[in-house]
Amino acid sequence: MRSFMFSVMLVLSVIRVSYSQAVVEIEVMKGTRDEVQTKEQLQRLLKTYDLSRWIFTKSVLIDESVIPHSHPILTLHARHLKDDELLLSTFIHEQAHWNITQRPRSRQAIDELGTLFPKVPVVGREGAQNEESTYLHLLVCYLEYRGVEAILGELKARQVMEFWSTDHYTWIYRTVLERKREIGDIAFKHKLIPTALNFEPQPLE
């Protein structure tokens, strides 16, 4: 019986690794050296780590001339070519946007954050482009933190979040670090946290 269970677990492990690699289709915009190398870097990360739990869209574009964004196609730049942890974090961040857009209770979660944080920064480096986006990014950045923590461990996750808190969305990342439990309770309550292997990118409701 133990031998059988070990075999099942081994097969599931292989499936998870294969899924991370197979489901993500990575294209480059201009085909520059930095874009191609970033594509290879992301492919290596997908091969090294089981990211299947955090994948909600399979199409990825590398474009060195834009700011990373999630829609309509998840797009990454080539800024973190020499930093696996920051590229991994950015990838999970943009995937988290797709996760939240697929969850029917995201609206309630954002409303609760409005009660918890009645005044939030907008524009500039501290917040997002408007109040709605700032509240949304509290959830996205929290899920980003959870994803990096699950993949790289608590220490690395905190170091990455502390870097972001001096780079962009500074208030948001700082608040995620300082109020992690409260934001996490809201995310958990409204079923925004991925809990299982996603063989197809879809809501887990």
Side-chain angles (χ1 to χ4, degrees), residues 46-138:
L46 289 166
K47 182 178 180 180
T48 302
Y49 301 108
D50 175 16
L51 298 173
S52 54
R53 178 181 171 189
W54 309 98
I55 292 174
F56 291 87
T57 177
K58 67 180 181 179
S59 297
V60 175
L61 177 65
I62 309 296
D63 185 347
E64 64 183 8
S65 64
V66 302
I67 295 173
H69 53 272
S70 59
H71 288 75
I73 298 175
L74 193 158
T75 304
L76 305 175
H77 53 32
R79 175 187 174 191
H80 305 304
L81 184 57
K82 296 183 178 180
D83 196 313
D84 287 353
E85 294 163 3
L86 295 183
L87 179 61
L88 181 68
S89 183
T90 303
F91 176 74
I92 293 174
H93 177 106
E94 302 306 340
Q95 289 285 352
H97 275 286
W98 280 83
N99 175 28
I100 289 176
T101 60
Q102 295 173 352
R103 305 294 182 129
R105 292 171 61 174
S106 297
R107 177 71 264 164
Q108 294 97 310
I110 290 172
D111 290 342
E112 284 197 33
L113 287 172
T115 300
L116 184 62
F117 303 103
K119 185 175 178 58
V120 296
V122 296
V123 192
R125 293 174 64 237
E126 285 198 312
Q129 61 186 356
N130 53 48
E131 286 190 356
E132 176 82 6
S133 184
T134 296
Y135 289 124
L136 170 65
H137 276 87
L138 282 171

Side-chain angles (χ1 to χ4, degrees), residues 144-161:
E144 176 186 358
Y145 179 88
R146 286 287 300 262
V148 176
E149 182 181 41
I151 301 299
L152 300 179
E154 182 179 357
L155 177 60
K156 286 293 185 182
R158 187 166 190 87
Q159 290 173 342
V160 169
M161 296 299 109

Side-chain angles (χ1 to χ4, degrees), residues 22-33:
V23 75
V24 179
E25 301 169 358
I26 308 171
E27 302 293 338
V28 295
M29 176 59 77
K30 295 178 285 292
T32 64
R33 182 183 66 178

